[in-house]
Amino acid sequence: MSNLMSGARILLECLAREGVDVIFGYPGGVTLPLYDVIYDNPIRHVLVRHEENAAFSAAGYARATGKVGVCCATSGPGATNLTTGLVDAMMDSIPVVALTGQVTSKLIGSDAFQEADTFGITRPCTKHNFLVKDIKELAQIVHEAFHIASTGRPGPVLVDITKDVLQGQAHYTPINEIHLPGYKVVTDGHAGQIRRAAQMMWEAQRPYVYAGGGILAAGASPELKELVETLDAPAVCTLMGLGGLPGSHPNFISMPGMHGSYTANMGMYECDLLIALGVRFDDRVTGRLAAFAPHAKVIHVDIDPAEIGKNRTADLPIVGDVKKVLGKLNRNLKELEPEMASKNSEGRNAWWKQVRGWQAEHPLEPVFSADEIKPQHLMYEINKLSDGKAIVSVDVGQHQMWAAQFIKFDNPRTWICSGGLGSMGFGLPAAIGAQMAHPDQTVFAICGDGGFQMALPELATLVNYQLPVKVIIMNNGYLGMVRQWQELFYNNRLSSVELSAFPNVELLAAAYGMKGRIVHTPMELASALKEAVDEPGPYLMDVRVSQFENVYPMVPAGAAINEMVLAPPQPVAVPR
Ligand SMILES: Cc1ncc(C[n+]2csc(CCOP(=O)(O)OP(=O)(O)O)c2C)c(N)n1
């Protein structure tokens, strides 16, 4: 059965078939035919205030659900504004389909009004991209775009559609087949390698699980938990992997890396078997690569063969879907358990003793003060309110690291964070996407005073759609993370990092038509946050924290991760 439809209507039919329920976007001349059809289509369109934020919101939706997030922009400046969000999704392997309008086919290359080479510009920013100039190809391409975005290692796919395609008429036939001969995803994992991995795990004296964002992408949290429990191994989750293993699980150590805990980093350094699951050995985790996990054999499981051996050679590589691989691995571990488990129990007990010793020696504990709000205190209170369940979206900077250190995530997809690209201005629009996906869940957007100002117009979106996001600004009056580096590595020459002229948040909130409050003292912090959470609508809170607090532990750039600086240098008494 087929019937005659406009390209714009075919596009929306295709989106509905892919299960799309919301599009984050911003209209323009070339996409007018699409917006005309959106007008009375059941798919919701959320009008954000900047295209970059449309991409972040779509990614926030995808990160919170695992479904493909969809964003839309017009040709030229609309499309180029999307690019940061596309790179962000690419770096964090987030499934996003971006739809952009393009000038009419016959005008391409003529410097037409609002023409940009979106296809060329986004080629390195996307997992794949398409330019649709023939309406007959539209349905096939949209189906393939969703397939590519959501399978294998997920990522952003862009579909650039000319205005004549959107306006044209064609018979629409729903598409079910995929014709991508060059795109093959290996999901199963090699049975022999998996069996060998199980053996190596039982043979290890000091096994250590290093779990990343791939666990979340694959929905492999239950399998990860089973592995960690069967093996009774200590486990760390990377910044992207937080929530992959419940934050309250006794085997969960915390996050490793530049601002990871002492225990997490020492464990990496001392382990004899590193079980790397859906990770990419990011430089912020490994520190100086040559000194990373120097005593360990590495088992590396990843869906993307290009990741294996990229930064660290794997002694046992397994290419496959980490959920499937862990499922088989767990069965193998159980089979070998009666024969193998007791063999190295002494070594493993000693390993746990060492790990618990590190935890007792240098626990990751928040800092409190009676006089001023410590940033860690803010995260501690948010953690108490959240109880492992709220969705927390963050911006980039010191607050992001303190949030990662002190807020526990018991469920996957509740920690929404721009890990790879580190895009300031991400927190608020990503929270919008997450809140759209989970209207009944508490969603915090924790922002720096710098990052918040990059996304501030999205307060209008919150009010527009009455999204009850709790925007908490950790206001230290500085571009805090940059100030920290200038203080530590540039002789405290604080160059262009002080943020003066910050808006009065109570007036700002009122101007947008939402509630807002400034919090100055530690005494009022807990009740103010509770008030924000209890408020049925959106809430904007400016928390004035101590200005010169720095994030510790810290692995200085270029150092090995066991060379952490644990605390600020103590003032040295001047001899008289
Ligand atoms: C778009 C963008 N521009 C610049 C940076 C570099 N950068 C990283 S952290 C940071 C400071 C962030 O300051 P703020 O938002 O106030 O957060 P804080 O560190 O104080 O928590 C900057 C400028 C970035 N990550 N993203």
Side-chain angles (χ1 to χ4, degrees):
M1 261 286 284
S2 64
N3 45 5
L4 203 60
M5 288 184 190
S6 74
R9 198 164 285 282
I10 291 174
L11 177 58
L12 285 180
E13 286 292 323
C14 294
L15 296 181
R17 273 178 69 82
E18 301 297 335
V20 175
D21 51 12
V22 59
I23 303 172
F24 302 90
Y26 210 95
V30 158
T31 51
L32 281 174
L34 179 61
Y35 278 81
D36 190 52
V37 182
I38 283 176
Y39 182 76
D40 49 12
N41 189 281
I43 294 180
R44 276 191 93 177
H45 180 272
V46 172
L47 176 65
V48 293
R49 282 357 184 216
H50 190 290
E51 289 88 351
E52 175 179 295
N53 299 328
F56 286 154
S57 293
Y61 176 94
R63 289 171 194 251
T65 58
K67 289 168 63 178
V68 177
V70 180
C71 57
C72 176
T74 193
S75 65
T80 55
N81 275 350
L82 282 181
T83 49
T84 302
L86 296 176
V87 183
D88 191 88
M90 186 74 175
M91 292 283 280
D92 286 349
S93 309
I94 304 301
V96 166
V97 166
L99 306 166
T100 48
Q102 182 53 275
V103 298
T104 301
S105 308
K106 65 176 187 307
L107 289 179
I108 288 179
S110 71
D111 286 345
F113 177 65
Q114 293 195 328
E115 182 187 359
D117 177 11
T118 305
F119 182 76
I121 291 167
T122 60
R123 187 172 250 176
C125 311
T126 50
K127 184 174 172 187
H128 197 70
N129 63 0
F130 297 93
L131 170 61
V132 192
K133 291 199 289 183
D134 180 348
I135 191 168
K136 291 200 284 301
E137 291 176 355
L138 181 61
Q140 183 73 42
I141 285 177
V142 172
H143 187 48
E144 287 174 359
F146 277 81
H147 177 75
I148 295 170
S150 59
T151 52
R153 180 180 185 164
V157 177
L158 181 130
V159 185
D160 197 28
I161 310 169
T162 58
K163 188 168 186 180
D164 47 306
V165 167
L166 290 174
Q167 276 177 324
Q169 297 276 320
H171 288 285
Y172 168 57
T173 313
I175 303 287
N176 296 312
E177 292 88 46
I178 299 285
H179 301 298
L180 295 166
Y183 180 68
K184 295 230 165 24
V185 180
V186 175
T187 59
D188 274 346
H190 187 278
Q193 286 170 330
I194 293 174
R195 190 155 180 86
R196 176 79 197 110
Q199 227 150 14
M200 281 170 76
M201 288 180 194
W202 283 126
E203 279 162 10
Q205 307 255 344
R206 300 189 303 280
Y208 204 60
V209 175
Y210 162 32
I215 292 290
L216 301 171
S221 292
E223 289 78 6
L224 172 66
K225 187 162 168 280
E226 192 181 330
L227 174 117
V228 165
E229 288 174 356
T230 308
L231 206 56
D232 192 19
V236 293
C237 291
T238 66
L239 184 70
M240 285 304 297
L242 291 175
L245 187 67
S248 53
H249 195 284
N251 291 41
F252 174 66
I253 300 304
S254 61
M255 175 181 79
M258 182 172 272
H259 293 297
S261 71
Y262 178 77
T263 311
N265 285 344
M266 288 308 292
M268 287 284 205
Y269 193 77
E270 293 292 347
C271 67
D272 68 355
L273 180 68
L274 192 61
I275 304 163
L277 308 170
V279 295
R280 59 192 179 91
F281 293 83
D282 177 63
D283 62 286
R284 282 294 195 266
V285 170
T286 63
R288 183 153 40 86
L289 204 50
F292 177 69
H295 315 292
K297 288 212 162 107
V298 174
I299 297 173
H300 190 179
V301 182
D302 207 289
I303 187 102
D304 183 355
E307 277 306 325
I308 304 218
K310 186 182 83 181
N311 294 332
R312 166 76 188 241
T313 309
D315 298 274
L316 184 67
I318 303 177
V319 177
D321 172 77
V322 71
K323 185 178 177 72
K324 278 192 172 180
V325 171
L326 288 188
K328 290 182 195 164
L329 195 53
N330 285 331
R331 285 196 288 282
N332 278 297
L333 279 173
K334 288 261 159 64
E335 274 168 35
L336 293 173
E337 192 170 9
E339 174 200 345
M340 302 284 287
S342 58
K343 285 202 173 145
N344 288 312
S345 57
E346 232 172 83
R348 281 152 198 283
N349 289 343
W351 178 224
W352 265 119
K353 228 171 128 194
Q354 189 170 22
V355 170
R356 295 297 182 215
W358 287 322
Q359 281 181 317
E361 222 179 306
H362 297 293
L364 195 58
E365 272 179 344
V367 183
F368 301 99
S369 153
D371 310 320
E372 51 180 9
I373 302 173
K374 291 286 184 185
Q376 300 92 329
H377 181 188
L378 170 63
M379 303 311 163
Y380 170 85
E381 293 295 348
I382 294 175
N383 184 49
K384 250 182 32 188
L385 273 176
S386 157
D387 194 25
K389 295 181 187 70
I391 294 178
V392 176
S393 169
V394 286
D395 242 275
V396 171
Q398 289 184 310
H399 66 281
Q400 176 193 29
M401 292 301 128
W402 280 313
Q405 288 178 340
F406 295 110
I407 302 177
K408 295 272 166 284
F409 298 93
D410 276 343
N411 299 303
R413 303 196 174 282
T414 49
W415 165 248
I416 315 279
C417 164
S418 165
L421 193 62
S423 315
M424 285 170 75
F426 172 88
L428 173 50
I432 288 174
Q435 187 80 79
M436 285 297 299
H438 297 291
D440 299 328
Q441 225 164 318
T442 303
V443 178
F444 290 100
I446 307 177
C447 304
D449 42 335
F452 168 70
Q453 290 181 88
M454 287 195 179
L456 186 160
E458 297 306 332
L459 292 180
T461 311
L462 289 186
V463 174
N464 201 160
Y465 298 91
Q466 274 305 301
L467 297 171
V469 172
K470 312 304 167 194
V471 184
I472 313 294
I473 304 165
M474 191 205 82
N475 190 342
N476 52 13
Y478 281 96
L479 296 171
M481 189 56 98
V482 180
R483 183 200 50 70
Q484 173 164 348
W485 281 57
Q486 289 180 343
E487 186 189 319
L488 300 177
F489 309 117
Y490 291 85
N491 225 359
N492 207 22
R493 286 155 57 86
L494 303 189
S495 176
S496 295
V497 283
E498 194 181 343
L499 293 170
S500 36
F502 194 73
N504 178 320
V505 151
E506 284 165 0
L507 297 178
L508 183 69
Y512 275 106
M514 63 194 284
K515 287 208 172 158
R517 173 167 175 183
I518 305 172
V519 181
H520 293 276
T521 63
M523 284 288 288
E524 52 183 333
L525 180 59
S527 60
L529 285 168
K530 172 93 174 50
E531 185 185 307
V533 170
D534 289 344
E535 162 66 30
Y539 202 103
L540 180 61
M541 186 181 292
D542 175 356
V543 182
R544 302 291 170 89
V545 300
S546 47
Q547 292 199 296
F548 292 99
E549 197 74 18
N550 285 341
V551 188
Y552 292 102
M554 179 176 191
V555 178
I561 57 167
N562 64 325
E563 295 165 356
M564 283 159 282
V565 181
L566 289 174
Q570 295 300 312
V572 181
V574 181
R576 287 172 181 270

